[in-house]
Amino acid sequence: MTPKEKMAIPPQAMPEQDAAVRARNMNEVALGYTAEMAKTEASRCLQCPTKPCMQGCPVAINIPGFLAKAAEGDFASALDVIKETSLLPAVCGRVCPQEKQCQKFCTMGKLLKDVDKAVAIGRVERFCADLARETGAEKPVACAPKTGKKVAIIGSGPASITCAADCAKAGHDVTVFEAFHRCGGVLVYGIPEFRLPKAIVRHEIEAIKQLGVKIENNFVIGRTRKLRDLIDKDGFDAVFVGTGAGLPKFMGIEGENLNGVFSANEYLTRANLMKAYLEGSADTPFWHGKRVAVLGGGNVAMDASRMALRLGAEKVYLVYRRSEAEMPARKEEVHHAKEEGVEFHMLENAKRVISDGKGAVAGLECLKYELGEPDASGRRSPVAVEGSEFVLDVDTVVVAVGNASNPLIPTTTEGLEINKRGNIVVDPETNMTSIPGVFAGGDIVLGAATVILAMGEGRKAAAGISAYLSK
């Protein structure tokens, strides 16, 4: 087909559950492409010689290469191309912000002057991965001969999984130490089932095990064992720290210690990892709020507000101090939240949580805001409107205003350099820390970021580890 003919092919919309139905169940919202839809969408790729889409992919997937195979209907070969650089295609196809990364640079989107009309790279990637998993057609990944070197990976989130896989493929003996009873990090405790089914995460973890990676659960580095002991006493030649950004931030307002106020971390962990939505058989008690306010405007705030509906809330308010244009959440997540009935309160912010006099939440006093001058990031700063106080009638408040890096390892490891935000400082080329042989990546280095950015950090660190061990 000529470029003009390809431009005439309409983008393939993703089939979804009806909003009214899905808002009360935990099943996946997006239902996935059919084979014909995947072929059609992949055929829209212009196969640009310069491959501009790849500059937006932190793990450097050969995007035109896998789309060319998918356009031919050879989905197995398409997946082979993806797995050259990523072992989490079913995950990335679902949760990566493609519109801000690979699809942002897609020539088709630029020609049509709409990033939403770029080739739906992630959706085709998801289809290829799902088809192979569902038909049992996945192929084993080859590993290099054994090097005799031992690598410890701390944490099992996206950065750690990627680093572990790349180190195993390089021939190293890899052991993952995970503090929780299940592996996957933010993929299992943070991202809800309706966006990322946990069976898929378990499957991707199994793929890592098939490379020979060993996993130790319920093992807290910094408590069960000190980081330096892994090298000094346990014989590991290198260590990767990927413990993420698990320290929730709060607003610092009156009433945040009341019963019914939760960090989004706790709220989502109870619902996702401990399955609070399974009445009668859940691994945790849960506060079933009927009128819920979620504070924040990122993807975590969207997840928490949509989860509140699925846990039985009658009314969910999303309170954000800037306008919708400034929201960092994915446009797709905002759209889904609105469809499901989340009520958006833009240019408003919490001032204090009101008590019922018995230690529980009885309301949320808010202030109206207007946008002033741009801040250091370029976004216009919100300015409170004096005398604009009003009260939202709520019994639950979920604070989703960001997370800081997990402080356990930095505070229990002498000589490990951190910056003023508590993030581990690394060499930007190799991701080695201030301690020789100790590497780090993902949110513990970047601060709270995306799954795919964490994966890119894991790949870079794995290359740094192999270079270090070769010397």
Side-chain angles (χ1 to χ4, degrees), residues 136-200:
E138 291 171 303
K139 301 173 186 176
V141 177
C143 295
K146 289 294 182 182
T147 63
K149 302 294 185 180
K150 291 176 61 179
V151 179
I153 307 289
I154 304 175
S156 65
S160 294
I161 291 171
T162 304
C163 187
D166 279 9
C167 285
K169 288 194 289 183
H172 309 315
D173 183 7
V174 180
T175 302
V176 173
F177 296 97
E178 168 54 47
F180 282 179
H181 60 292
R182 288 199 186 136
C183 290
V186 70
L187 303 177
V188 294
Y189 70 74
I191 302 176
E193 182 81 12
F194 55 82
R195 278 217 295 138
L196 178 62
K198 301 304 161 251
I200 289 172

Side-chain angles (χ1 to χ4, degrees), residues 45 388 435:
C45 176
S388 62
I435 301 174

Side-chain angles (χ1 to χ4, degrees), residues 11 23-24 44 119 128 134 159 219 252 262 288 305 312 358 374 376-377 413 423 446:
R24 299 299 175 181
R44 298 180 64 234
V119 178
C128 294
E134 291 161 5
F219 201 108
F262 300 89
H288 291 282
S305 55
K358 301 175 184 178
S377 69
T413 307
N423 302 334
L446 301 173

